[in-house]
Each structure stands twice: as structure tokens, then as C-alpha cells.
Amino acid sequence: MPQKVSKSAEVFKHSIILFVIACALYPLLVTVIISFKTNAQYEANPFWFDPISTWNWGNWSKAWDTVSPYIANSIVVSVSATSIGLVMIILSSYALARYRFPGRNIIYYGIIASMFLPGTAATLVTVFWLIRNLGLVNNLWALIIVGAAGAQVVGIFILKQFIEDIPKELFESAQIDGANHIRQITNIVLPMSGPVLAIIAILKFLGHWNEVMLAMIVMRDDNKLTIPVGLLRLEGEYVKQWGEMMAGYAMASIPLIILFVFTMRWFVKGIAAGAVKG
């Protein structure tokens, strides 16, 4: 028999939820508020809207002219790196989960152990030398290749567990019907692992979109910068135009908000599937 929840407990629970939501959204709200202000308005009233008649819409126009090429570069890099990386994760996870071959466990645990290696900051010099030897300095392919190759471990770790849980009879039936490995992946693995693949893709896309250190070092031309580096260059050396900067930051977050809104259902399913998997 379900226990009756008291009204005070419900009020407390919803208060906590509202507090967390407010803490999460308030920085974005302040960013939008400042994006309509001049520097004088920002200094007089930094954290709330001024009358609409005084809003400085020119900040958004100037910010769009500045960041639109950067947004295009970030979309190309993030989508390409995520797509290539996802293909590599699927193929690696499928091979490790479905087949027993000499050295399988050594390869798998070696991949898992790489999670404990230092990240981009510690390997930056080595990665830069590799990129330079490949002739990819100041080329978006450098960010795509490094992005696709990196951050594979978590995806392989999660997806391998799900593929191992798929009944073997499905694969055996497919093999009897003459399905090769690609057909088994497209007809069995992908449909049954959709939520997990979605959450892996979303997390990888966010990581590539926000990557700043490698892009700052590798890219040279202004028209090839990605959005995080481009936003850093919006900051003036002596005088910061806070309204234009915040308008640029708000624009940079719009693609991520759209992505999350359209993939929220898959995101929640992926989280729930991971929780059940435990």
C-alpha cells in the first residue's frame, strides 16, 4: 500500500527543486539582461532589466556580425567530431562485446585505464607536435580528428555493457539469415541502444562545442576560430563592452539550448537506462 506523503514534505521537495532550477537559470538570465545594456546602464543597474525603451538592440546586431562565423566553425567541428567519434565507439564496443579473441581483455582494460591518464593540458605539447607534423596547424581538421579520437573511453565503457546485455539469440538469428556485421549493428545494436547512443552523442557534442584550449593554440586565422576562442577575443584589452560580450555569450548558448530541447526525451531515457543498468 503506497505511503501517504505529507503536504509539508511536498512543499519542501518542490522548494528544493525550484531553488536548484533558479540557481541553474539565473546566470543565463543575467547574461540576457546585460546583453541589452550599455556600459553606463550596466554600472547603474547590473542585475535587472531597464525599461524596454532603453534597451540597446545594437549589441545583438554587433555580436551577431562578430560571432556568426565562429558559430559556423563550431557547428562543423562539433558535428563532424561527434559523428566520427560515435562511429568509432559503436564499432569498438561491438567488437569487444560480441567476440572473444586473444588479448581482448588486455585491450579493453587498457582502454579503461586510459581514463586515468592526464587530459588535454598535460598532453598539449605532444598533441601539438603531432598536429604540426601532419600539417594540420590552422586547419579545422585538426580539431575534428583530435576531438573524434578523444573521449572514446566512457562511450566504449557504457555501450559495451549494453551490447553484452542484448540477447545473443538475436545476433545468431541474424547470422542464420545471412546478416553481416554491419547489418547486425544497424538492425539490432542501433535500435536497441538508441537512448544510450543519444546521451553519448550529446555529451560529446557539448565537450567539442566548449573546447577552448586546443583551438586557441592550433588555430591562427580569425575566420577559422571556434566560438569559445572567438568569444574570448570579444573582450577588449582596455575597455570591455559588456553588452556586446553578453549578447555573444547568449548567442553561443542558443544552439546548445535547441539541441537539448529536441533531444531531452532521449537524454532522460539514456540517464534512466544507465540508472537501471546500475
Side-chain angles (χ1 to χ4, degrees):
M1 181 177 178
Q3 294 182 344
K4 186 177 181 181
V5 180
S6 66
K7 187 175 181 180
S8 58
E10 284 292 306
V11 171
F12 179 76
K13 181 179 72 176
H14 285 87
S15 300
I16 295 295
I17 294 173
L18 291 175
F19 177 74
V20 172
I21 292 174
C23 290
L25 295 181
Y26 185 66
L28 181 60
L29 176 63
V30 171
T31 301
V32 174
I33 290 172
I34 298 175
S35 70
F36 291 105
K37 295 176 181 289
T38 62
N39 277 3
Q41 290 173 317
Y42 169 66
E43 292 173 2
N45 177 25
F47 299 123
W48 195 244
F49 289 106
D50 292 320
I52 295 180
S53 59
T54 64
W55 286 11
N56 189 359
W57 294 94
N59 288 339
W60 283 76
S61 175
K62 292 177 183 177
W64 173 251
D65 292 338
T66 304
V67 304
S68 54
Y70 306 147
I71 291 178
N73 292 336
S74 281
I75 290 175
V76 170
V77 170
S78 301
V79 171
S80 301
T82 301
S83 302
I84 297 172
L86 209 56
V87 171
M88 295 168 65
I89 288 173
I90 293 170
L91 296 178
S92 303
S93 303
Y94 176 79
L96 290 170
R98 288 278 299 123
Y99 294 99
R100 303 292 182 266
F101 50 86
R104 169 181 172 272
N105 288 333
I106 295 175
I107 293 173
Y108 176 65
Y109 289 118
I111 293 172
I112 297 302
S114 66
M115 279 197 296
F116 302 100
L117 297 176
T120 304
T123 59
L124 203 55
V125 175
T126 308
V127 171
F128 179 78
W129 276 96
L130 181 62
I131 291 172
R132 197 181 72 165
N133 290 337
L134 291 172
L136 294 177
V137 174
N138 199 29
N139 191 321
L140 290 179
W141 274 107
L143 304 180
I144 294 172
I145 292 173
V146 175
Q152 301 283 325
V153 183
V154 175
I156 292 173
F157 176 73
I158 296 173
L159 188 58
K160 174 180 174 292
Q161 314 302 323
F162 275 83
I163 295 177
E164 285 180 337
D165 283 349
I166 297 174
K168 293 180 181 178
E169 290 76 10
L170 291 177
F171 294 104
E172 293 170 354
S173 299
Q175 286 176 329
I176 292 172
D177 291 339
N180 57 23
H181 296 303
I182 299 300
R183 286 196 63 187
Q184 290 180 46
I185 291 174
T186 54
N187 293 344
I188 299 174
V189 175
L190 296 186
M192 300 191 72
S193 305
V196 180
L197 290 173
I199 195 169
I200 293 172
I202 292 169
L203 294 178
K204 285 184 68 67
F205 185 91
L206 291 176
H208 299 320
W209 185 270
N210 293 319
E211 204 286 323
V212 61
M213 190 175 295
L214 184 63
M216 186 184 296
I217 293 174
V218 171
M219 308 311 293
R220 298 287 188 270
D221 295 343
D222 186 72
N223 62 351
K224 293 182 178 178
L225 296 179
T226 53
I227 189 67
V229 184
L231 289 174
L232 288 177
R233 296 195 175 185
L234 271 179
E235 299 185 17
E237 185 175 0
Y238 300 106
V239 179
K240 296 182 186 301
Q241 298 298 326
W242 293 104
E244 295 176 17
M245 287 171 52
M246 293 302 118
Y249 291 140
M251 284 182 185
S253 63
I254 289 174
L256 299 182
I257 295 172
I258 294 173
L259 172 70
F260 184 74
V261 168
F262 283 98
T263 60
M264 183 168 54
R265 182 168 61 93
W266 290 97
F267 190 82
V268 174
K269 279 187 176 180
I271 294 289
V276 172
K277 175 69 181 174

